[in-house]
Amino acid sequence: MQRTQQRTQRRFTLLLAAALSAVLTMLAVAPAGAAGKPSRSNGSGNRVIFVHGHAPFGKHDCTKTFSASRKHFANKKWKGNLLTFGYYSGNTKCSANVTGSRDTAIKDVAKKFANYVAKNYTAKGIKVDVVAHSMGGLVVRAALHYTHQRAAGFPAKLYIEDVVTLGTPHAGITTSRAVLCGKARQCTDMKAGSSFLKALGSKMPSTTRNGNMSTDWTTVSSYDDGTVTESSGIAGTANHEAQYKAGINHGELITTTTGSHNGRIKYSTKWSSFHKRVSPVEQARLAVYWHATT
């Protein structure tokens, strides 16, 4: 009787040890923080990362730059964190900031941005939205493009659900504007026909391959931008495109939060007629809230 109980106890101990070993093995295979790809959804729960544009003097106050935009999102009861990402060493008051200057190639800035998102959010199974102004849109576009290409130094995947670009020179800045910008590397990267822009291709990067999340793109431009032409600002290949003909300049695309403004939107491949539309910042909020913007 006693021997039978001892044998039973040994078997139980062996089974318990085997079960514990299996658990430890699974933990080793799936490290802490690893998580599955989140699903797409509408709502205001995502973190929104605001990315600034080129700075003529190589520095931004991120809080000041996006003060109006973030306040508008907050007033509209946005639930997720409203963050800022900067890429100049001289920046101040950014939620996250990496070192760099106007001579840092946009691709290199994109690499830093991609790895920031991958480490802090994607690796934890968290999706984010992005609202980018001017050159910041090229930073985000290059981050996704080269991640999808599995380029050296870029992360394996990114969970970026929605991207809105406001006044981004997707097709480059004009020669006259490039001359005013100067000889800094970021200026030459933004020049129409540059090798950097050619490498990005014609389409906005969005793919579910290699574990990436599909990204919904909205591009916004203004006929009165003064820095980026209305055609360069929309690229022509985004999921949703909006244009304003309402006296809104380059900087005002991220500060105009209220009112009705003369504009139009592209449905599929056809533009609507010009009519009264929401402000550019409200357009951005709607774009990251909904899968489609109307």
Side-chain angles (χ1 to χ4, degrees):
M1 180 71 175
Q2 186 176 5
R3 289 182 178 177
T4 300
Q5 289 177 337
Q6 288 174 340
R7 284 196 297 270
T8 301
Q9 187 174 6
R10 280 198 297 270
R11 290 194 188 104
F12 177 77
T13 302
L14 289 171
L15 287 172
L16 184 62
L20 180 59
S21 177
V23 170
L24 291 173
T25 299
M26 285 190 291
L27 288 174
V29 172
K37 180 168 65 176
S39 59
R40 292 192 58 85
S41 61
N42 297 327
S44 62
N46 283 0
R47 292 166 175 81
V48 179
I49 303 174
F50 292 86
V51 184
H52 65 69
H54 173 263
F57 300 104
K59 61 181 179 179
H60 277 287
D61 178 328
C62 290
T63 297
K64 183 178 180 180
T65 298
F66 288 110
S67 174
S69 295
R70 295 168 77 196
K71 183 177 180 180
H72 178 75
F73 273 60
N75 288 342
K76 290 288 185 176
K77 310 301 181 185
W78 194 269
K79 298 176 183 177
N81 292 337
L82 302 171
L83 309 171
T84 56
F85 177 87
Y87 46 84
Y88 291 129
S89 298
N91 280 349
T92 57
K93 300 179 182 179
C94 303
S95 303
N97 194 65
V98 295
T99 58
S101 70
R102 296 172 65 241
D103 282 312
T104 303
I106 297 177
K107 182 179 178 180
D108 290 337
V109 179
K111 187 183 299 182
K112 294 178 181 180
F113 175 75
N115 283 296
Y116 160 75
V117 173
K119 178 182 177 180
N120 292 283
Y121 304 109
T122 303
K124 301 173 184 177
I126 299 170
K127 60 185 178 179
V128 300
D129 294 329
V130 179
V131 174
H133 181 235
S134 194
M135 193 186 84
L138 294 178
V139 170
V140 181
R141 182 176 171 184
L144 282 162
H145 172 78
Y146 285 107
T147 294
H148 296 169
Q149 295 292 321
R150 292 195 162 180
F154 284 81
K157 59 187 176 182
L158 287 172
Y159 296 159
I160 298 179
E161 185 171 34
D162 300 294
V163 175
V164 181
T165 67
L166 298 155
T168 291
H170 290 288
I173 54 179
T174 62
T175 300
S176 60
R177 181 59 62 176
V179 170
L180 290 174
C181 187
K183 296 182 179 180
R185 175 61 184 271
Q186 291 174 357
C187 297
T188 59
D189 279 349
M190 287 190 290
K191 187 175 180 180
S194 71
S195 58
F196 166 74
L197 290 175
K198 287 180 179 179
L200 294 181
S202 60
K203 295 183 178 180
M204 297 298 103
S206 178
T207 180
T208 55
R209 293 177 301 166
N210 304 328
N212 287 280
M213 183 178 208
S214 63
T215 301
D216 189 63
W217 285 80
T218 300
T219 54
V220 181
S221 72
S222 171
Y223 277 75
D224 303 294
D225 184 302
T227 298
V228 177
T229 65
E230 67 277 4
S231 58
S232 181
I234 58 163
T237 60
N239 304 87
H240 323 286
E241 299 169 354
Q243 288 183 322
Y244 289 88
K245 191 181 283 187
I248 298 172
N249 67 32
H250 191 65
E252 289 169 341
L253 284 168
I254 57 170
T255 61
T256 306
T257 61
T258 60
S260 296
H261 307 270
N262 190 35
R264 64 177 183 171
I265 191 166
K266 182 184 283 186
Y267 296 98
S268 185
T269 59
K270 186 177 180 180
W271 284 102
S272 71
S273 60
F274 280 95
H275 59 285
K276 292 297 182 180
R277 296 195 56 78
V278 297
S279 70
V281 176
E282 174 63 1
Q283 181 74 64
R285 187 191 70 85
L286 292 172
V288 295
Y289 185 97
W290 300 106
H291 176 60
T293 58
T294 56

